[in-house]
Structure formats: C-alpha cells, structure tokens
Amino acid sequence: MAKSPDQEHPQKAFGWAARDKSGLFSPFHFSRRENGDEDVTIKILFCGVCHSDVCIAKNEWGFTNYPVVPGHEIVGTVTTVGSNVKKFKVGERVGVGVIVGSCKKCESCQQDLENYCPQTIFTYNSHYTDGAKTYGGYSDMIVVDERYVLHFPDNLPSEGGAPLLCAGITVYSPMKYYGMTEPGKHLGVAGLGGLGHVAVKMGKAFGLKVTVISSSPKKEAEAIERLGADSFLVTSDPTKMKAALGTMDYIIDTVSAVHALFPLLSLLKPNGKLVTVGLPDKPLELPIFPLVLGRKLVGGSNIGGMKETQEMLDFCAKHGITADVEVIRMDYLNTAIERLAKSDVRYRFVIDVASSLSQ
Ligand code: NAP
Ligand code: ZN
C-alpha cells in the first residue's frame, strides 16, 4: 500500500492544501525528500499567490491531483546544501519559481530553456522522476535541485520580490524574446493583475510608452499615478477604444478569463505583435482578418528558463522593480483566493509563511 504523504519521505513538512474542487485550503502534514548531493533545502519565508494557484486549487484546468499545495513564488533561506552544491551557501536568501526539475539533456535544457523541456517538473501538482508528488510554497520548507534555485538580489525585498519568480519572468521573457523592448515603442498591457502590473513597470524600465487595457474602470488612477502607465483604456468604452485603433506596436495579454482578441488585434499597428500569457480555461477565438490584413503576429510564452529568470531578478533589482503586494497570514488564504478570483487585490497577495504558519 502507498505510504501516506507524511510518511513518504524522511523530512517532515507542513503547509496548507486544497483537497477537492471547492479549492478550500486547510492544514496539511506531508514530507519532503532528504537533501541530496545536488540539493538545497530552503526554509520558506514568503510565497506569492498566483492566479494559476487558484485554477489548480479549483481544478479549472482539469488536471489537479489532490491534495495540492500550490505556491511557485517562493523566497526563503538556505538551511542545508548537498555535497556537490556549488552556487549556494547556508544562510543565503534564495528564490524558487514555477519549475523544480527538467531532463537537463534535451535541446531546450541545453539552451537554458528548461521551461520548454518536455519533462519539466513543476513546483507543485507534478511528479519527480521517482514518482513522488511535488508540493509548492504554501508550506514551511522545500528541497530543490540547485539548478532550479535563484540568487535573490540583496536590495530586493522578499515580499515585493517574491511575485517576480512567476509574474515577473512570465512577462519579462516574452518581452525579450519577441523584441518588445525598443525604447519609444508603444506597449499595451491587457489585464491589470499580478502579471499585468509588473509588465507595466518593466515596460517603463525598457523605455516604452505603456497603455493599460483593462475591464476595470476603477483601476485608471492607480495605473497612471502609482504604476507609471502613460495611458489607460477601458475595453467597454467604445469611443476611447476607437480612438486608439492602430496605435500600438506590441500587446502583452495577461487576461485570465475567456475574452475577445479582435479588439486587441485592432489596437495594433501593422506588423504589431500580440503575445498572450494568460491561461483561460477555454480556447480563445482567433480573428483572422485583422491578423492577415495587418501582417500581425500572435504568440505565446511560458515563464522563463533559469538563466533568464536570474537575469530578470537582477534587472528588477537594478531598476527598483517589485510587485505591489498585500501581505497576508496563512489563515487568510481562503479569503485571499476568493478575492483573487474576483480580481480584488492590488496587485498580488503574498503569504508571510514564516511568521504565520503554525501547526
Ligand atoms: P490576476 O492577478 O487575477 O490578473 C488577471 C487580470 O485579468 C485581472 O486583474 C483582470 O484585469 C483581468 N480579468 C480577469 N477576469 C476577467 C474577465 N472576466 N474579463 C476581462 N478581464 C478579466 O492573474 P495573474 O496572476 O496576473 O495571471 C494572469 C493569467 O496568466 C492567468 O490566467 C494565469 O493562470 C496565467 N499565468 C500564465 C503564466 C505563463 O507562464 N504563461 C504564468 C503565470 C500565470 P482587469 O481588471 O484590468 O481587466
Ligand atoms: Zn504563477
């Protein structure tokens, strides 16, 4: 008979798990593997709450394996290093993002694109090569192969820096890959949530003109005054949408729900690029006419490789980019998940794991 989660491995661990598609979280005892030669054991300090955590907790994508302990925006302190670990020392502050493993051999892995390896091991709701389940950062500690651990720059605060490990790299990587960083060009950011608000800040750091494209009129003042956007468009305002037709060079689409692409494609200039990183639970309709007639491009992107994630953290440290966060205690998690599902957060919940997780 299979061992129970708390008996499976030698190291005791404790966190909060969702048990079924209600997505309700409750305390959960489980275990982690012994620290191996290439491993780093991390005491978790803070963990961001990504919209993907909600989708997995509620099985919206249909592949949740309960019980699930989400969390892939992890900042913590190294407590143990394996004998072959070269990059990290005990006591150092580090980050762990969306992936904790990959095959290390394929073309993608060899090009530092572990995020596109066919055998990527995700930080939670996934399996290690030995079949053990992965559990994420809504927990007290984690054991991770050093390849998938990041140095956390000294001048980045843990709370505001944690969301960069998913939200940050998810918008940084496509901006670099698709050439969306040319100073003076016009970037549209669709969806002003966790990913979107970081995209605004990065766009400004790259020297772009940034317009937020939002379904929430209430976010206008803060988008401009607090986040530094140059302008703001509400998708439900036909006059403003019409005036902005054909004005944008690039759009990064972070919207989490099913939405129409036609209005977004129409905002692009000829040769414009729309990169979608949001993951709605149903397919979007692709309007061919504006695409063909304007030689426009629609692309996708999935987080980033380890090398680029480190580069992104260093870029954010240099430019003073952090997420705007609401720090919460672990016992507020169920309320936070409900609020996040309604886009009621400015702009990322981050759990103060170390000081609020008690057994
Ligand atoms: P979030 O904080 O909830 O933000 C999503 C935003 O989408 C909301 O703030 C809202 O912005 C907009 N939105 C939500 N419901 C909407 C609706 N019904 N109609 C129109 N707009 C709506 O989520 P997030 O953490 O930024 O994640 C965004 C998406 O990216 C999610 O689907 C997530 O799963 C996915 N994701 C993908 C990757 C990747 O690697 N590709 C990585 C992380 C997350 P407005 O109020 O401004 O309209
Ligand atoms: Zn995420």
Side-chain angles (χ1 to χ4, degrees), residues 51-52 170 192 194-195 214-216 219 254 277 279 301 303 348:
H51 197 105
S52 304
T170 299
L192 193 62
L195 271 56
S214 174
S215 64
S216 310
K219 293 180 183 172
T254 74
V277 291
L279 293 165
S301 189
I303 46 164
R348 199 56 137 194

Side-chain angles (χ1 to χ4, degrees), residues 205-225:
F206 285 125
L208 305 173
K209 175 185 174 190
V210 179
T211 297
V212 171
I213 309 158
S214 174
S215 64
S216 310
K218 278 193 236 152
K219 293 180 183 172
E220 174 157 12
E222 58 201 65
I224 291 173
E225 286 154 28

Side-chain angles (χ1 to χ4, degrees), residues 186-187 209 211 233 243-249 266-269:
H186 188 184
L187 170 74
K209 175 185 174 190
T211 297
L233 275 177
L245 288 180
T247 61
M248 296 181 189
D249 298 285
S266 308
L267 292 171
L268 288 172
K269 294 177 186 171

Side-chain angles (χ1 to χ4, degrees), residues 258 279-284:
V258 172
L279 293 165
D281 59 356
K282 297 205 174 54
L284 303 184

Side-chain angles (χ1 to χ4, degrees), residues 50 52-53 72-73 98 166-167 348:
C50 177
S52 304
D53 300 356
H72 57 207
E73 295 179 339
V98 179
C166 172
R348 199 56 137 194

